């Protein structure tokens, strides 16, 4: 058992030493910020190490690290986009009703959870759900917008509602 741990430790060390500089540089070019790049590079290695996959099974380490880092980078950009949209909406409010920084952080976290929940839905289902819930369109109007029958919109809405309820129950 101790020998397995030593081998894993050596593989981790070699992976980090051989590729951390390259990964950090790639992320720095993508982000334009060395601190954020360092954070995401570290998150990439943490993600790789937390997977059950054996490190010795990774045949193309840079390609593998690139895929993991790209996913984290997309999540980072999406998070910033959602956060900025919320902050822009808050900036339009009178200062007297502006939420506290703590409330803002909670709302952003909730928006990110809702976004993650909706991103798991098929495109047409998500679109129908958002048209109904955010824009208040009727099922007939949604059917025209999405290019499906009104009956299909009803199925999409049922699918979206069931998805949301299932995720809420899983969290409880």
């Amino acid at each position: 058992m101790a020998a397995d741990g030593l081998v894993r430790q050596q593989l981790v060390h070699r992976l980090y030493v051989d590729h951390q500089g390259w990964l950090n540089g790639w992320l720095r070019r993508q982000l334009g910020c060395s601190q954020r790049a360092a954070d995401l590079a570290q998150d990439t290695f943490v993600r790789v190490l937390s997977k059950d996959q054996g490190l010795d099974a990774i045949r193309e380490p840079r390609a593998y690290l690139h895929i993991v880092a790209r996913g984290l980078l997309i999540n980072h950009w999406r998070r910033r986009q959602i956060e900025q949209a919320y902050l822009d909406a808050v900036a339009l409010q009178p200062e007297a009703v502006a939420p506290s920084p703590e409330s803002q952080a909670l709302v952003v976290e909730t928006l990110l959870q809702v976004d993650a929940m909706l991103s798991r839905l098929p495109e047409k289902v998500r679109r129908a759900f958002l048209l109904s819930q955010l824009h208040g369109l009727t099922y007939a109007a949604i059917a025209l917008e999405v290019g499906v029958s009104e009956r299909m919109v009803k199925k999409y809405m049922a699918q979206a509602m069931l998805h949301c309820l299932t995720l809420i129950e899983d969290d409880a």
Side-chain angles (χ1 to χ4, degrees):
M1 185 71 174
D4 288 345
L6 182 60
V7 169
R8 180 168 171 77
Q9 185 178 3
Q10 289 170 343
L11 288 170
V12 167
H13 178 74
R14 182 69 12 225
L15 181 70
Y16 189 82
V17 167
D18 289 352
H19 304 291
Q20 189 277 338
W22 165 82
L23 182 62
N24 204 332
W26 180 78
L27 286 167
R28 194 171 43 254
R29 287 188 299 279
Q30 300 302 309
L31 293 164
C33 175
S34 60
Q35 291 85 7
R36 283 193 202 117
D39 287 345
L40 279 179
Q42 194 69 23
D43 290 348
T44 300
F45 283 103
V46 168
R47 176 85 44 104
V48 168
L49 295 175
S50 68
K51 298 216 184 235
D52 288 334
Q53 176 184 6
L55 295 174
D56 55 342
I58 300 173
R59 297 288 173 232
E60 297 291 334
R62 286 193 178 181
Y64 185 74
L65 290 169
H66 180 265
I67 289 168
V68 173
R70 186 170 176 270
L72 291 171
L73 191 58
I74 290 168
N75 289 344
H76 168 77
W77 284 331
R78 187 152 182 85
R79 179 183 179 94
R80 285 191 55 192
Q81 183 181 27
I82 290 169
E83 191 172 355
Q84 190 58 53
Y86 173 69
L87 293 175
D88 290 347
V90 167
L92 297 174
Q93 300 298 316
E95 196 172 318
V97 295
S100 70
E102 295 82 10
S103 294
Q104 289 181 23
L106 287 172
V107 169
V108 168
E109 229 15 77
T110 302
L111 288 171
L112 291 169
Q113 290 172 348
V114 168
D115 178 64
M117 183 174 20
L118 293 175
S119 70
R120 294 182 195 125
L121 290 171
E123 174 60 31
K124 285 187 176 184
V125 176
R126 179 176 52 250
R127 191 161 170 226
F129 182 77
L130 291 173
L131 288 170
S132 169
Q133 299 302 305
L134 296 181
H135 300 286
L137 296 184
T138 64
Y139 286 5
I142 294 169
L144 287 172
E145 183 74 26
V146 177
V148 296
S149 68
E150 195 172 336
R151 180 181 168 145
M152 199 68 210
V153 171
K154 289 177 185 177
K155 287 183 180 183
Y156 288 165
M157 292 302 293
Q159 183 180 350
M161 296 291 187
L162 179 61
H163 176 75
C164 293
L165 287 173
T166 303
L167 289 175
I168 290 170
E169 288 176 1
D170 288 348
D171 286 344

